[in-house]
Amino acid sequence: IAYIIAGARGIVEECFKWANQRVAFGKPLIQQPVIRQKLANMVSKVESIYSWYEALTYQMTKLPYDQQSMKLAGTMSLLKFRATRVAWEVADDAIQIFGGRAITNSGMGKYVERFMRTNKFAAILGGSEEVMADLGIKMATKGIPATAKL
């Protein structure tokens, strides 16, 4: 999960650099409201999964080892699911910001192109998104008694 977050953060940084450097319609791209909205979405998504990751890491340091898998496996699964979805969304927004440069494997858009091409590996390795989401929900509902009602 850490490398997913690091990769997404790197792409967000590249987008900020590009948006400040690129001039379109006589002004820097960063002055376009739609670009700032994309950047805001990217930052809020990446930083929210980072915060979740930090909270989960903290919980791991406080729980005894024998309780970690029972209490944190579901949360970890859902975090991986969300992190890989965010990576895909960040890649998509970055492509929109970089335009045609994002589909070249050299030059200014090479990191965006590489991230777009490879971020799906994270969704597959260690359990696909659907499997992770299902495991997370199964673990979350495991302790609910069959007689529970609203």
Side-chain angles (χ1 to χ4, degrees):
I1 296 170
Y3 73 92
I4 299 167
I5 296 169
R9 275 182 156 179
I11 294 305
V12 171
E13 181 182 343
E14 289 294 309
C15 287
F16 269 97
K17 289 178 193 173
W18 178 248
N20 279 295
Q21 174 185 336
R22 174 77 165 109
V23 175
F25 306 108
K27 57 185 176 179
L29 209 53
I30 194 76
Q31 291 182 11
Q32 300 292 341
V34 69
I35 299 300
R36 291 194 305 268
Q37 181 65 40
K38 285 186 179 300
L39 291 168
N41 283 333
M42 293 165 75
V43 169
S44 66
K45 289 174 184 176
V46 172
E47 292 308 310
S48 69
I49 60 170
Y50 179 73
S51 179
W52 192 1
Y53 174 74
E54 285 287 310
L56 190 58
T57 302
Y58 176 79
Q59 290 172 347
M60 287 176 71
T61 66
K62 298 302 176 190
L63 278 174
Y65 183 76
D66 58 333
Q67 293 180 20
Q68 287 178 11
S69 63
M70 194 60 190
K71 295 190 177 187
L72 300 179
T75 305
M76 183 80 68
S77 297
L78 291 173
L79 175 57
K80 181 184 183 281
F81 165 71
R82 187 66 191 135
T84 57
R85 293 309 310 149
V86 164
W88 185 254
E89 293 163 9
V90 164
D92 188 55
D93 282 343
I95 291 166
Q96 293 299 315
I97 291 170
F98 270 79
R101 284 183 173 83
I103 59 173
T104 61
N105 60 7
S106 62
M108 294 179 202
K110 67 183 175 189
Y111 299 120
V112 173
E113 187 276 336
R114 187 175 305 139
F115 188 72
M116 183 262 315
R117 184 171 31 88
T118 61
N119 80 73
K120 215 47 183 162
F121 289 117
I124 296 165
L125 301 175
S128 70
E129 290 175 346
E130 295 81 6
V131 171
M132 292 291 103
D134 185 55
L135 176 62
I137 297 304
K138 280 182 181 177
M139 295 298 287
T141 59
K142 198 171 196 166
I144 298 176
T147 58
K149 295 182 182 183
L150 288 176

